[in-house]
Amino acid sequence: GAGVSQSPSNKVTEKGKDVELRCDPISGHTALYWYRQSLGQGLEFLIYFQGNSAPDKSGLPSDRFSAERTGGSVSTLTIQRTQQEDSAVYLCASSPRDRTQETQYFGPGTRLLVL
Amino acid sequence: RKEVEQDPGPFNVPEGATVAFNCTYSNSASQSFFWYRQDCRKEPKLLMSVYSSGNEDGRFTAQLNRASQYISLLIRDSKLSDSATYLCAVNPRYSSASKIIFGSGTRLSIRP
């Protein structure tokens, strides 16, 4: 079946511009995570959506970052007024999140470069 | 103290060797433990879930030590293709909707 997809796969933007990154999770998965990963570094948690619960935004690094998940499916991560330090790979993962299945399935990521 | 901690490595071992690394977690109530593998410039993929009784999949063995609050991953007869970063993940179960937390990963390099 189809896995998690993300678009665009690569994005180059100029400092100060806004960008939108999209994640299409696996159909039926109730949990959706966004992570950021800089070269050679670990996963940095950004935000977590679980069903109809309020999202856990505790990992968003600044108010320039926001995310929404419409209809419990597609999610968009928006970065406003991008800075060079925002350059990284942005990974999305979805999970069924029932009590017996919490495996996260990752998308291929969006590589963001801010010039 | 981080909620999930790993030795970043790198572990550099010869082909055929056995290598093991641990991942410690801070919340004793944690449930659900996982090992993921991440190849260079790729997304993480599940390697193994870790059950209380421990589990084995071919050359890979994962174990849970609740008393000392760590999980381990053992790789026997290592192959060049095992070179990757290994991430552990834990659900600390602060609530029914608590998020999975990843460690920062352990880099493994297998040399010929």
Side-chain angles (χ1 to χ4, degrees), chain B residues 44-55:
Chain B
K45 292 186 179 178
L46 181 71
L47 178 64
M48 302 177 78
S49 300
V50 186
Y51 307 120
S52 57
S53 57
N55 50 311

Side-chain angles (χ1 to χ4, degrees), chain B residues 38-106:
Chain B
Q38 185 174 25
D39 293 298
C40 187
R41 298 180 68 80
K42 296 287 189 180
E43 70 273 21
K45 292 186 179 178
L46 181 71
L47 178 64
M48 302 177 78
S49 300
V50 186
Y51 307 120
S52 57
S53 57
N55 50 311
E56 186 174 319
D57 183 3
R59 298 182 293 108
F60 297 82
T61 300
Q63 293 202 313
L64 168 63
N65 186 317
R66 283 198 181 274
S68 300
Q69 294 182 207
Y70 72 88
I71 60 173
S72 63
L73 180 66
L74 179 80
I75 305 174
R76 289 180 297 277
D77 187 25
S78 54
K79 311 292 185 190
L80 295 176
S81 57
D82 294 334
S83 296
T85 296
Y86 291 84
L87 302 161
C88 70
V90 175
N91 186 338
R93 290 286 181 194
Y94 296 124
S95 72
S96 61
S98 60
K99 64 183 181 288
I100 302 282
I101 298 175
F102 278 85
S104 55
T106 296

Side-chain angles (χ1 to χ4, degrees), chain A residues 4-13 18-24 32-39 43-44 46 65 74-79 82 84-93 105-114, chain B residues 38 41-44:
Chain A
V4 177
S5 61
Q6 292 187 243
S7 61
S9 54
N10 293 280
K11 177 71 176 180
V12 180
T13 191
D18 298 351
V19 295
E20 281 191 355
L21 312 180
R22 177 186 168 107
C23 173
D24 280 89
L32 188 148
Y33 296 78
W34 282 99
Y35 299 93
R36 180 168 72 174
Q37 189 171 38
S38 300
L39 190 63
L43 295 175
E44 177 187 1
L46 296 178
F65 288 73
V74 171
S75 178
T76 302
L77 177 69
T78 301
I79 309 173
T82 51
Q84 289 181 331
E85 60 264 28
D86 299 335
S87 297
V89 176
Y90 289 81
L91 290 161
C92 172
Y105 298 84
F106 284 81
T110 293
R111 285 172 173 73
L112 175 66
L113 177 61
V114 182
Chain B
Q38 185 174 25
R41 298 180 68 80
K42 296 287 189 180
E43 70 273 21

Side-chain angles (χ1 to χ4, degrees), chain B residues 6-45:
Chain B
Q6 294 184 251
D7 182 341
F11 285 63
N12 190 328
V13 302
E15 194 173 8
T18 295
V19 61
F21 23 84
N22 294 337
C23 166
T24 59
Y25 58 94
S26 61
N27 183 13
S28 60
S30 296
Q31 300 176 25
S32 308
F33 307 89
F34 308 88
W35 282 105
Y36 284 76
R37 171 190 170 131
Q38 185 174 25
D39 293 298
C40 187
R41 298 180 68 80
K42 296 287 189 180
E43 70 273 21
K45 292 186 179 178

